[in-house]
Amino acid sequence: MARKKIIAGNWKMNMTPSEAVKLVAELEPLVKNDAVDVVYCVPAIDIVPVVEAVKGSNVQVGAENMYFEESGAYTGEISAAMLVDAGVKYVIIGHSERRDYFKEDDALLNKKVKKAIASGLTPILCCGESLEQREMGVTMDWIRFQIKSDLVDVTADQVKDIVIAYEPIWAIGTGKTATTEQAEEVCKGIRECIAQMYDQATADAVRIQYGGSVNAGNAAELFAQPNIDGGLVGGASLKADFGKIVCY
Ligand code: PEP
């Protein structure tokens, strides 16, 4: 069964609500490609206007984060129910910036993954090694650890529908892309890990993105790899180049 590619922009902490609406309008004619799923993962404050702005187009909206509790005294947090009610379909969980700057650990991320799934959101679960880990030769050990910890108590049927984003930390926002071979090798390793944890059918169904300095020039070669089912795109998702990536 062919997996539909999914190309998601991660806007990070960029774009005020009015800038966001302008960007959606500018990108609208450039990102028309029904052969792939297109997602804009946007800052929380941009969600409502961006959901409105993409109405009638092929673009779906994702959040960059959420909290796992249902509701209550968690000042500053946003719940899965709030995202669903606002029209959000996807949520990035465990981006390396959240793991690093906000000290989100795998136990917390596992709770977020389970809550997102239970609420009907599709998690885009991020994993990836540091440069030090790559140089030490422990890349796949580390990524298996992240995947196994983040998916505790998640069933095969649920895993089939999630998205996993392999994002080597040393390639994020640095302009340094992993080589096609490096990216494919790890995405293949992630699929093998899912096959071991669950079964081959689950591994064959799950979509695995590559992220890390994807741009208009390297997208086609990366997305042509057998185990790379699209990309999570930071910097290049904020400009017209995103259209070239989506229509690679
Ligand atoms: C990201 O933020 O997920 C990312 C991959 O960023 P960039 O494309 O800018 O490296």
Side-chain angles (χ1 to χ4, degrees):
M1 188 195 64
R3 291 178 295 269
K4 191 174 185 188
K5 300 248 191 273
I6 173 164
I7 300 171
N10 172 15
W11 289 10
K12 310 197 188 200
M13 197 174 75
N14 295 295
M15 299 287 138
T16 64
S18 53
E19 288 169 344
V21 169
K22 257 177 76 181
L23 179 63
V24 170
E26 277 163 26
L27 290 179
E28 210 246 0
L30 309 176
V31 296
K32 284 191 204 299
N33 180 2
D34 289 332
V36 305
D37 286 331
V38 184
V39 184
Y40 297 161
C41 296
V42 306
I45 198 163
D46 295 341
I47 286 171
V48 170
V50 170
V51 166
E52 188 57 35
V54 300
K55 269 195 187 139
S57 79
N58 58 320
V59 176
Q60 293 195 308
V61 178
E64 298 177 12
N65 185 28
M66 54 158 260
Y67 198 52
F68 67 87
E69 291 286 0
E70 186 59 33
S71 62
Y74 304 101
T75 303
E77 293 295 328
I78 293 193
S79 73
M82 292 170 187
L83 297 178
V84 170
D85 188 66
V88 167
K89 302 289 181 212
Y90 294 86
V91 57
I92 298 176
I93 292 180
H95 191 282
S96 60
E97 288 151 16
R98 303 258 5 135
R99 292 178 187 259
D100 186 9
Y101 306 147
F102 302 99
K103 306 294 167 228
E104 296 196 2
D105 63 18
D106 291 294
L108 172 70
L109 298 174
N110 175 239
K111 289 182 184 162
K112 292 189 178 196
V113 167
K114 287 188 288 191
K115 186 64 182 179
I117 294 170
S119 307
L121 293 164
T122 299
I124 299 177
L125 173 63
C126 300
C127 59
E129 81 288 5
S130 64
L131 187 56
E132 196 186 5
Q133 288 169 322
R134 176 158 285 270
E135 286 171 349
M136 280 165 54
V138 298
T139 294
M140 247 357 274
D141 298 312
W142 176 246
I143 284 169
R144 273 192 290 267
F145 172 81
Q146 289 184 314
I147 296 289
K148 286 184 182 174
S149 316
D150 299 344
L151 294 181
V152 169
D153 293 334
V154 180
T155 68
D157 271 350
Q158 292 170 330
V159 168
K160 276 181 188 154
D161 291 327
I162 74 166
V163 177
I164 297 174
Y166 166 54
E167 298 207 306
I169 297 168
W170 49 272
I172 298 177
T174 57
K176 252 193 206 174
T177 320
T179 64
T180 308
E181 293 72 29
Q182 285 171 326
E184 166 61 15
E185 184 186 21
V186 177
C187 290
K188 182 166 179 268
I190 292 171
R191 206 174 299 288
E192 285 165 0
C193 175
I194 298 290
Q196 275 169 10
M197 291 169 67
Y198 299 94
D199 51 62
Q200 195 57 48
T202 304
D204 288 341
V206 70
R207 294 190 288 180
I208 304 174
Q209 298 173 311
Y210 167 76
S213 300
V214 173
N215 60 45
N218 59 27
E221 190 178 320
L222 285 162
F223 301 166
Q225 301 310 302
N227 287 288
I228 300 181
D229 305 314
L232 184 56
V233 184
S237 70
L238 298 169
K239 31 189 196 181
D241 264 17
F242 193 61
K244 294 190 187 133
I245 295 171
V246 166
C247 303
Y248 65 96

